[in-house]
Amino acid sequence: MARPFRIVVITVLGFILSTLVDLAFDTESRLGLDTLFKIRGPQTIPDQVVIVAMDEASETRLGVSQDLTRWREFHAKLLDQLHRQGARLIVFDLQFIAANPSVDPALANAMRAAGKVLINECVQKFRRGVEDFYGREECSDRNKMPAITREGKPATSLSEQLVVMRKLSPTPAIAQAALDSAPFYLVNDSENASIRESWTFYDALAEAPSLPVLAWFYYQPASSDNPVNQPLSAWLTEQRRACANASKLDKPTKQLICQGDSRYLNYYGPPRTLRMESYADVYEGKVGDLQGKVVFVGRANRQFSPGKSDFFQTPYSDSRTGKMAGVEIMATQFGNLLEDRFIESPAPGWIVASVYGLLIAIVLVRFVGWPGVAISLALALAYAGSTIYLFSQRHWWLPVAGPLLIQLPLSWLLSLAWSRYDLVRERGRMLAFVRRVFPQWVGMLPAAPGQWTEGANGAAAGTERDVSGLCLATDIEGYTTIAAQHSPREMWALLNTYYQVLGHPVVSHDGVIADVTGDAMMAVWFDAPAASQRSAACLAALEMATAVASFNLSSSLTPLATRIGLHEGELTLGSLDAGTSSHYRAIGDTVNIAARIQGVNKYLGTRILASQSIATDLDDIVSRPVGSFRVVGRAEPVKLVEIVGLKQGSDGQPNAVHGLFTDGLAAFQQGLWTEAARLFQAALDLDTNDGPSCFYLQKALAYREMPPLEWDGIVVLDSK
């Protein structure tokens, strides 16, 4: 009875917790679906889809800035260009709500001449009457009349559950000239919600079809089912309302019209993956190959600008790609319709999660302890591989975040807890047997696993050890001044978060934080090959610099500019006793030199400096020599390099500024002050912020006027 009971408990508890977490945090979409997209990567884009982007270049060339109303005077010529080139269909992701008598007649004539223009209808969403207003572009900004009205001034506010949606049609002159119109609503980007699915029909708007669906029906060859005496949008609404009697429709059409009101989008890649042409280029006739294409016209800036409106999070969005324009999402949905490539779930997620949890539970109960953990891990990896394969090849979305991140660890925990329980019970039975049969041995047995009598304990090991390792030292620039500007409580809160940000890269790259004092942190690497220690420390230093920069941007207090120094050598690691407490420390000259090296950053205007040996043979790290220095308290000079970054693509090519600086440094070390000054100045002409070039230029100019009595190429620093 024990095994079936445990299998049921592990399965049920894992499924319930996974479901609750998903309901609270939407883990399957935020982690599961988004991760599957990123693993799969970009897909082949449909050749029929073209986006005409109202981008930054067009704003400048046409002189329209970001005001959408000023673009309308150019749309007529754009339509003429697209019509002459044989575009199959032209879809405007714009709302022509406000009339503009000076340009509307010309635009209407161009629409009639083309005979294939679809336009967007504004959709507004209200919650609690007039509060929490949502919409897109001028649809939102210029039409905020209340969705409902109340008589008098009642003291109570409207219910939070009261949600109203309405549609605003284009101005009559434009609406009558267009082939047809339909809405396309997206969640307002101020909510920072990720767009994973899109409506096919708006049941809250009298079963109106969405604009991509309408475009797809116009794109299909005409059939006997299509209307001849009314717009397709009206016909689609009628078919949606009469789904129960829609036996005359073919199967794909009936599925699209009658099954559900939204589909999960199958994104082709990050923003700007679909073919995108600049509005100004098309307007000026510089773009060809538009014969038979479906052209979507709308705002789609080519450069990511967080402040711009009508941009939305997608599964591919990150700090590098930015958000996706609404017109790209519209074109993506049309492409999915064209290729029948939406993301689908082959079975309800709860069924898949239940079967998965049952298999894991059976394995863990059948193979007790670590063997069961290993087998279940292999089973989980096989499931993960299957979900990735099915997503890439069949566009099937199986639950992955809940099964792998919640059900599996919880199943392990329950299984190991039961194993521990069984072990304790067995140990108890053994102890009871010994007490009864061999009472003289009771004092030598453990009361619980791992808990032995005092006589069985061995002597305590030594508390210190000598190692050959690498030390990383950090310091906050201008910390004394910063601390004087804030209260102790503010500094405590600031530093508490700062050291969490600073320490994470160390731990993630297998380093040990040996000391944190005031504004300084010391980390060490040891017990690993020298090359591995060097690579890990450099990667940690680069990630620390990036993490601190992000931390400073998000902090409302004074930025903490951090300097980092790296040095390798002999260390003593151990616990130092002070009174009744002990402190773990790294001791030795290596620690002192690392601290001195980080101080050299102050002179060179750099962030990460290391002794020359550390950057040797690190092919994935970009570094440059910055000279030899005799630091305070040390007679032997130290050759230093600046750790610049990671080699990625073109980063591996020689840097012009670094090349000029290297030549200047060689001349400086030979005492050729004039030539050195010329080369450092040339480097600064290319990059005025290059700190090492600025430092050595000042030195070269000073030495040219008053050369040192004895020169060995070593810079002497007389302070920390």
Side-chain angles (χ1 to χ4, degrees), residues 700-719:
L701 293 175
Y703 288 168
R704 186 175 64 182
E705 299 299 326
M706 186 177 293
L709 297 178
E710 295 183 3
W711 177 245
D712 56 3
I714 299 172
V715 177
V716 179
L717 301 177
D718 54 5
S719 63

Side-chain angles (χ1 to χ4, degrees), residues 468-469 510 525-533:
S468 178
D510 301 323
W525 281 260
F526 54 91
D527 286 347
S532 299
Q533 292 180 170

Side-chain angles (χ1 to χ4, degrees), residues 255-334:
Q255 287 180 339
L256 176 59
I257 295 177
C258 299
Q259 291 187 1
D261 59 354
S262 66
R263 305 284 290 274
Y264 276 93
L265 294 170
N266 190 354
Y267 286 97
Y268 296 98
R272 299 172 295 279
T273 296
L274 294 171
R275 179 185 172 187
M276 186 178 292
E277 303 291 350
S278 176
Y279 185 107
D281 290 340
V282 178
Y283 178 86
E284 295 167 2
K286 298 178 180 179
V287 177
D289 188 28
L290 297 176
Q291 179 72 34
K293 308 296 185 184
V294 178
V295 179
F296 293 85
V297 182
R299 172 173 291 184
N301 301 97
R302 292 168 178 261
Q303 299 175 357
F304 172 52
S305 300
K308 302 213 180 226
S309 60
D310 206 41
F311 281 76
F312 305 87
Q313 297 277 3
T314 70
Y316 284 102
S317 295
D318 57 34
S319 58
R320 180 179 58 84
T321 63
K323 300 179 181 180
M324 181 174 285
V327 68
E328 292 182 86
I329 298 176
M330 178 188 292
T332 298
Q333 184 178 2
F334 177 82

Side-chain angles (χ1 to χ4, degrees), residues 384-651:
S386 300
T387 60
I388 294 171
Y389 174 82
L390 291 173
F391 187 85
S392 300
Q393 301 300 319
R394 302 293 299 273
H395 321 301
W396 284 0
W397 174 25
L398 297 177
V400 61
L404 298 182
L405 301 181
I406 300 174
Q407 288 181 268
L408 182 62
L410 180 62
S411 300
W412 285 346
L413 182 62
L414 292 173
S415 174
L416 293 175
W418 259 315
S419 297
R420 175 77 177 184
Y421 171 77
D422 291 340
L423 182 60
V424 171
R425 288 190 60 192
E426 183 65 25
R427 194 64 61 95
R429 285 194 295 267
M430 291 174 58
L431 186 59
F433 174 81
V434 171
R435 282 197 179 109
R436 187 175 67 252
V437 181
F438 305 105
Q440 69 274 21
W441 291 354
V442 170
M444 300 178 62
L445 293 178
Q451 184 181 4
W452 295 92
T453 61
E454 183 177 356
N457 294 333
T463 59
E464 71 280 338
R465 55 184 297 204
D466 297 327
V467 299
S468 178
L470 189 151
C471 183
L472 180 151
T474 74
D475 185 71
I476 299 175
E477 182 179 335
Y479 174 76
T480 303
T481 302
I482 296 172
Q485 298 171 356
H486 302 285
S487 68
R489 174 62 63 177
E490 289 176 335
M491 289 305 300
W492 181 90
L494 180 65
L495 290 178
N496 185 51
T497 307
Y498 167 76
Y499 280 122
Q500 293 180 37
V501 170
L502 208 62
H504 180 73
V506 173
V507 176
S508 64
H509 288 284
D510 301 323
V512 175
I513 299 175
D515 192 14
V516 175
T517 306
D519 63 328
M521 187 184 81
M522 193 72 65
V524 292
W525 281 260
F526 54 91
D527 286 347
S532 299
Q533 292 180 170
R534 293 166 181 168
S535 177
C538 288
L539 291 174
L542 290 170
E543 289 183 15
M544 289 167 74
T546 302
V548 170
S550 299
F551 167 78
N552 288 334
L553 289 175
S554 62
S555 174
S556 60
L557 299 180
T558 305
L560 303 179
T562 302
R563 300 186 294 245
I564 301 172
L566 301 166
H567 188 63
E568 60 183 353
E570 299 302 317
L571 298 165
T572 296
L573 303 176
S575 178
L576 295 177
D577 295 330
T580 59
S581 60
S582 297
H583 305 271
Y584 190 78
R585 291 288 187 274
I587 306 297
D589 191 44
T590 301
V591 177
N592 298 332
I593 297 174
R596 293 290 186 267
I597 290 175
Q598 71 79 13
V600 179
N601 284 290
K602 176 172 60 176
Y603 294 92
L604 297 183
T606 51
R607 288 294 173 216
I608 308 173
L609 291 177
S611 50
Q612 188 177 50
S613 61
I614 290 178
T616 304
D617 299 328
L618 294 183
D619 296 333
D620 57 339
I621 301 294
V622 178
S623 63
R624 61 164 167 173
V626 291
S628 298
F629 294 83
R630 187 173 286 112
V631 296
V632 176
R634 183 174 175 84
E636 290 295 323
V638 182
K639 292 184 177 180
L640 300 181
V641 297
E642 180 190 6
I643 304 300
V644 179
L646 295 175
K647 290 182 180 177
Q648 297 178 350
S650 60
D651 291 344

